[in-house]
Amino acid sequence: VSERSHTMEQVAVLVVMGSAGPPPPPPPSKPSIDSVSGSACAVTISWSYSGSPEVSGWSILRRANGGSAVEVLSEAGSTAGQRSYTDTAASEDGSTYSYTVTAHNAGGAATSDAADITFAPSSPGPASATALSTNTVRLSWADVDGETERGQVH
């Protein structure tokens, strides 16, 4: 076999390697969450990105109350120019939400560090006091969210 001749296996490797086209771009750099703010059952996540390499889309993930389950709020096909997302399924019931943003391109993906927001529990309704005796009072109030397990009276 001369230097210019190749086996069939070598030819097949050369053809496959040669026909693959240009290599994919490098994976995107890690996005950075700038702010997470919430009110009225909506959380807005805003992030920044260096712009290099180019991003084809974003996915937004949410974890509730430190649990292991992760919800995908927005798929990777989101607009590449997008830099914020509003989660309208959040609830203000004392929950803590942890969000991450993942940048995607043909070379792979990169995920931001997590950013958290915690909502205070709902306040009870107005309290009323009823005198039961000279040194005993009954306090009553409405449980606004229906999920209060305990509270403190001061």
Side-chain angles (χ1 to χ4, degrees):
V1 177
S2 72
E3 281 185 41
R4 294 186 175 240
S5 63
H6 300 286
T7 66
M8 288 303 285
E9 292 83 15
Q10 289 172 324
V11 170
V13 168
L14 290 171
V15 169
V16 169
M17 288 175 64
S19 64
S29 57
K30 185 165 92 170
S32 174
I33 295 179
D34 298 327
S35 68
V36 177
S37 59
S39 65
C41 298
V43 176
T44 300
I45 304 102
S46 299
W47 62 92
S48 56
Y49 181 70
S50 68
S52 179
E54 210 167 296
V55 170
S56 59
W58 307 95
S59 55
I60 310 343
L61 305 176
R62 177 181 73 186
R63 182 183 317 260
N65 298 315
S68 59
V70 174
E71 293 178 74
V72 177
L73 301 178
S74 178
E75 295 290 338
S78 300
T79 308
Q82 177 181 359
R83 294 293 188 276
S84 68
Y85 177 84
T86 300
D87 174 10
T88 57
S91 63
E92 294 183 3
D93 62 356
S95 295
T96 296
Y97 296 103
S98 181
Y99 293 91
T100 57
V101 176
T102 303
H104 300 270
N105 72 12
T111 302
S112 69
D113 293 330
D116 300 336
I117 186 169
T118 300
F119 290 102
S122 301
S123 299
S128 64
T130 306
L132 300 177
S133 68
T134 56
N135 61 356
T136 306
V137 175
R138 173 182 294 140
L139 293 176
S140 302
W141 60 89
D143 182 6
V144 175
D145 62 13
E147 297 181 17
T148 301
E149 296 174 13
R150 63 182 187 273
Q152 296 179 339
V153 177
H154 297 274

